[in-house]
Amino acid sequence: MKIDVLTLFPEMFAGPLDVSIVQRARKTGLLNLRVHNLRDWTHDRHKTVDDRPFGGSAGMVLKPEPLFAAVESLGNEQTKVILLTPAGRTFSQAIARELAMDEHLLFICGSYEGVDERVREALVDDELSIGDYVLTNGGLPAMVIIDAVTRLLPGALGDDESAKDESFSHGLLEYPHYTRPAEFRGMKVPDVLLSGHHAEIDKWRAEQARLRTAQQRPDLLNDKNSGSRDKSAPHN
Ligand code: 4GY
């Protein structure tokens, strides 16, 4: 998968995408990630990317010309152009799975008060939000989405990191995990996990996942968007 990012702050992207699973995906060629400074598509001496809003008000708006030039130079018909904004649909594991099937993503990271409306109308295929709060720019949301999508690319996870039976893949929270020691400061690992009875262990884990979800995230039990499990289908 190829991912291009347009931002005014490319320095932000050094760090989070240079470690762990994303770093490995980049090194093995699974992910071709390029972070671009929007100012590279300006032509004036001051590399102007923003201007005052027509109609007045505080703050600045990203000008259309650099964004159109950048998207036209980086993208083609296959490219999915995504604007990061609190006004977008809320990012989820289901959307991560959708994006992981695309060949080419191009993220536009908004800054200041936002982008000229003509960018949205003519360039943007999808608008995504990572949650109902306002950040200073779209860099962190882009990194969050790139991280979540990259680990879903076939081959990105090693055998020990399998993505198939974790939280959200079945629409429930994960069951509790334990490792050695079997007793720590008087706190014991549940006997069933030490029993070696795999059917019993599976049953216990399924029950714990349900209990934990009901207690901590009851909203997920009726959420048809967060998991892959088809909750309208009969369970049998
Ligand atoms: N939340 N999800 C978000 C954000 C910053 C002003 C528009 C978010 O995606 N993006 O808060 N972005 C704002 C800053 C211009 C983008």
Side-chain angles (χ1 to χ4, degrees), residues 172-176 200-214:
L172 296 176
L173 299 182
E174 273 278 67
Y175 51 77
E200 285 298 305
I201 291 170
D202 287 350
K203 214 174 84 186
W204 181 85
R205 285 176 167 168
E207 175 63 8
Q208 291 294 314
R210 246 168 274 280
L211 269 173
R212 177 166 283 200
T213 306

Side-chain angles (χ1 to χ4, degrees), residues 84-86 110-115 128-138 141:
L84 288 321
T85 163
S111 295
Y112 312 123
E113 295 310 301
V115 306
L128 295 178
S129 166
I130 63 161
D132 290 341
Y133 38 79
V134 181
L135 300 167
T136 54
N137 67 79

Side-chain angles (χ1 to χ4, degrees), residues 118 218 230:
R118 291 163 291 190
D230 183 354

Side-chain angles (χ1 to χ4, degrees), residues 4-204:
D4 287 291
V5 178
L6 283 170
T7 172
L8 292 180
F9 310 106
E11 325 84 78
M12 280 185 76
F13 288 76
L17 305 176
D18 294 327
V19 298
S20 182
I21 292 161
V22 177
Q23 180 189 50
R24 191 175 61 207
R26 295 173 71 181
K27 283 182 171 163
T28 62
L30 261 182
L31 173 65
N32 177 6
L33 175 70
R34 300 215 175 152
V35 180
H36 310 272
N37 193 329
L38 181 60
R39 292 189 198 279
D40 293 349
W41 282 271
T42 57
H43 299 293
D44 64 308
R45 281 196 303 126
H46 299 106
K47 298 187 187 289
T48 309
V49 291
D50 60 342
D51 205 342
R52 297 158 63 195
F54 276 122
S57 86
M60 299 290 270
V61 174
L62 288 182
K63 294 166 62 61
E65 298 96 322
L67 281 166
F68 271 76
V71 171
E72 283 164 3
S73 72
L74 295 173
N76 57 44
E77 283 307 300
Q78 322 271 309
T79 307
K80 184 175 282 178
V81 178
I82 298 170
L83 178 66
L84 288 321
T85 163
R89 59 185 180 130
T90 305
F91 185 63
S92 65
Q93 192 64 27
I95 295 174
R97 283 190 287 262
E98 267 174 49
L99 298 183
M101 305 200 303
D102 278 292
E103 277 303 317
H104 184 202
L105 303 177
L106 196 169
F107 290 99
I108 298 176
C109 303
S111 295
Y112 312 123
E113 295 310 301
V115 306
D116 187 282
E117 183 65 10
R118 291 163 291 190
V119 169
R120 272 193 58 245
E121 285 173 2
L123 292 182
V124 170
D125 298 307
D126 203 353
E127 296 175 68
L128 295 178
S129 166
I130 63 161
D132 290 341
Y133 38 79
V134 181
L135 300 167
T136 54
N137 67 79
L140 287 167
M143 286 187 262
V144 165
I145 294 171
I146 291 166
D147 186 286
V149 170
T150 298
R151 61 185 292 290
L152 296 179
L153 298 176
L157 298 184
D159 292 340
D160 292 350
E161 302 157 337
S162 168
K164 76 174 188 296
D165 60 12
E166 70 206 349
S167 293
F168 297 112
S169 62
H170 40 58
L172 296 176
L173 299 182
E174 273 278 67
Y175 51 77
H177 300 282
Y178 294 90
T179 186
R180 291 187 292 181
E183 181 172 346
F184 175 68
R185 297 191 179 183
M187 298 177 281
K188 289 182 167 150
V189 173
D191 283 335
V192 61
L193 296 179
L194 312 175
S195 70
H197 293 126
H198 295 295
E200 285 298 305
I201 291 170
D202 287 350
K203 214 174 84 186
W204 181 85

